[in-house]
Amino acid sequence: MKRGSLIIVSGPSGAGKSALVGHALADLDNLEFSVSYTTRAPRGKERDGVEYFFIDRREFEARIAAGELLEWAEVHGNYYGTSRRFIDDRTGRGTDVILDIDVQGADIIRRKRPEAVGIFVMPPSFEVLQTRLTRRSLDDAEVIRRRLERACGEIRRYHEYDYLVVNDGLDAAVRDLEAIILSTRRRMSAMSGAARTIMKTFGGTHAENP
Ligand code: ADP
Ligand code: 5GP
């Protein structure tokens, strides 16, 4: 069976990654969210095991030591990390996995899994980002200030990604993200199994050399 793909989504905090990924997960089959470990406290209605596995620093460090994390990074003073087992289990079953991770984590995953697809999400402007983070009203003013400061550094690395989605109108951005995911599923490398099966009905796989 074909392994599932890794689809990495990064972008500054408040760019709309959660909103976009949430829509893609609801609309597309065979797609699962990579639930990361984090030491940050749950925000709003977040539930353990759904948005994140919420653990303390000691447990996080034990998981690093045990080699359980495919990548990890310190972001906004908290640890965040991707579970190797979670990813391998889903992709092994042929399910595509979407990861919402920062630019440092994306860099590590791309080196370990070069076939991973990278998508960067940008807000239409700094001012819009500021407004969205304030309106989200899940963080206090100091946290928002730090997230905006970090956004300026993070957004500079957009060119390391394969695709760019500008999240101005939500519906259009959702369509863009879903189109990218669907097109990765039709890459020749992803379709080789299906192609071989069809080619057999044409007398074999040598038909590519007429
Ligand atoms: P991230 O996951 O990148 O930190 P969120 O998905 O939490 O960002 O989005 C930040 C805030 O902006 C949320 O309140 C969300 O509902 C809102 N938002 C996301 N996309 C749009 C959009 N296209 N237009 C207006 N508001 C948006
Ligand atoms: P938030 O606290 O807003 O949920 O996430 C803060 C940042 O951490 C975001 O940029 C998000 O993409 C990133 N992040 C979430 N999970 C992981 C992870 O497992 N690894 C890394 N490297 N970054 C993560």
Side-chain angles (χ1 to χ4, degrees), residues 14 21 40 45 57-58 62 133 162 166 173 181 183 201 205:
V21 167
R40 92 151 157 70
K45 292 187 183 142
R57 288 183 87 85
R58 213 156 43 126
L133 276 177
D162 303 304
V166 178
I181 296 170
S183 71
T201 72
T205 50

Side-chain angles (χ1 to χ4, degrees), residues 153-165:
E154 198 161 37
I155 204 161
R156 291 206 174 94
R157 295 182 62 178
Y158 71 91
H159 53 85
E160 296 174 19
Y161 290 72
D162 303 304
Y163 296 95
L164 178 68
V165 171

